Amino acid sequence: MRAEGANAESFLESNAPDTITYNTLIAACVASNKSARASALLKDMIAAGVPRSKRTYFIYTALIDAQSKGGDPNAAFETYGKMKAAGVSPTVVTFGCLLNACRHFASSGAGESDVDPAELAYALLSEMSERGVVPNDRCQNALVRVVSEAGRIDDMLDEVKAIARRRGKFERTTLEGVVRALCRASYAERALRILSWMDVRGYSPSAPTYRALVQVCATEGQVQWAWTLHQRMRRLGYRPDRPTCSALTQALCRAAVATDS
């Protein structure tokens, strides 16, 4: 019996998953958007004391990216904590993934998670500076999206100016997010200015952005722009919703009364 037990233990040891096996399984889970399973495998790997390779360290960032895209920012930052505990230095790609994860805190509301997404994003930026990691365009665009969704207009405009000054590349979703944030804050003229930046770059706003622009222009007295944008969105096949039609109709009526003695 003792011999059989020893043989069984020897079999398990010789057939236990090694570094290559764990790396392959984790990478497969990440590739198939099974971030929870990938995270569980990483925990098993650490608990089993299996040595981690350079590929494992790359997988940390890939897992953070998958968790961010999956809308689970808490899991992404938990993985980041394990990454640092393992002595793995984050790269600019890692920080870009984490900044995008901050956006999910913004969309869920800071009050619900007790996390201020904008402050968390700025903390990541400070950590990048301390580690000597230079933010790339992806990081800067992600930061703008976080602060715009958090409603921090002044910070958002400062970051937009910073990208423009260093001739960085703006992503379409970044400029569109800025436009919508300005519309929510009733800054029609500033929103139109950023819209002109989109036009220059060949970026076309989505239907919700057009509706927001028509509404803010109509409300803020930019009647000509409201009508022009309404025509543009109709040419693109976008249908105005009831609030947009109502705001535009009221603006046209006020303009007609003001000009018809």
Side-chain angles (χ1 to χ4, degrees):
M1 293 294 291
R2 290 182 180 176
E4 289 179 2
N7 289 335
E9 185 177 341
S10 176
F11 175 82
L12 289 174
E13 289 179 357
S14 61
N15 289 275
D18 58 9
T19 302
I20 295 175
T21 303
Y22 270 113
N23 285 346
T24 303
L25 290 171
I26 294 172
C29 289
V30 170
S32 57
N33 293 322
K34 296 180 180 178
S35 58
R37 181 56 181 152
S39 181
L41 285 167
L42 183 59
K43 288 180 181 178
D44 288 345
M45 184 180 188
I46 295 171
V50 177
R52 279 151 283 173
S53 65
K54 289 184 179 179
R55 188 184 179 199
T56 312
Y57 299 151
F58 169 78
I59 287 173
Y60 275 113
T61 296
L63 180 55
I64 290 171
D65 186 39
Q67 290 165 332
S68 172
K69 290 177 179 176
D72 193 349
N74 289 303
F77 277 90
E78 182 182 348
T79 300
Y80 180 52
K82 293 176 182 176
M83 181 179 184
K84 291 193 290 185
V88 183
S89 298
T91 65
V92 68
V93 178
T94 309
F95 282 110
C97 296
L98 290 167
L99 285 166
N100 278 315
C102 292
R103 295 181 59 206
H104 294 290
F105 285 122
S107 61
S108 63
E112 296 178 12
S113 59
D114 294 325
V115 174
D116 185 325
E119 289 301 323
L120 182 57
Y122 279 117
L124 287 170
L125 206 66
S126 296
E127 186 175 350
M128 292 181 73
S129 178
E130 292 170 2
R131 291 178 176 272
V133 179
V134 179
N136 58 13
D137 285 339
R138 184 190 181 197
C139 291
Q140 295 288 1
N141 276 266
L143 177 62
V144 172
R145 289 194 291 267
V146 172
V147 294
S148 65
E149 290 172 14
R152 294 174 55 158
I153 302 300
D154 291 338
D155 289 334
M156 176 190 74
L157 293 176
D158 286 343
E159 298 302 334
V160 167
K161 292 174 184 176
I163 296 176
R165 280 196 297 268
R166 65 178 183 80
R167 299 184 182 276
K169 181 180 179 181
F170 286 102
E171 298 172 7
R172 185 191 65 80
T173 53
T174 301
L175 291 178
E176 192 164 17
V178 171
V179 169
R180 293 172 72 169
L182 291 170
C183 288
R184 288 192 297 270
S186 299
Y187 292 132
E189 290 187 6
R190 289 182 175 181
L192 290 170
R193 191 176 306 132
I194 301 300
L195 177 65
S196 69
W197 289 18
M198 294 186 69
D199 291 339
V200 168
R201 290 164 174 80
Y203 295 155
S204 178
S206 63
T209 302
Y210 266 117
R211 294 184 190 115
L213 280 164
V214 172
Q215 289 181 48
V216 72
C217 287
T219 303
E220 297 300 310
Q222 299 273 5
V223 183
Q224 184 61 52
W225 264 111
W227 180 249
T228 299
L229 291 167
H230 169 73
Q231 290 179 311
R232 280 176 60 172
M233 68 181 291
R234 291 303 299 268
R235 282 196 297 269
L236 290 169
Y238 298 148
R239 294 178 62 86
D241 57 9
R242 181 171 293 182
T244 304
C245 290
S246 177
L248 182 58
T249 301
Q250 292 180 41
L252 291 171
C253 290
R254 286 195 299 269
V257 170
T259 57
D260 188 356
S261 58

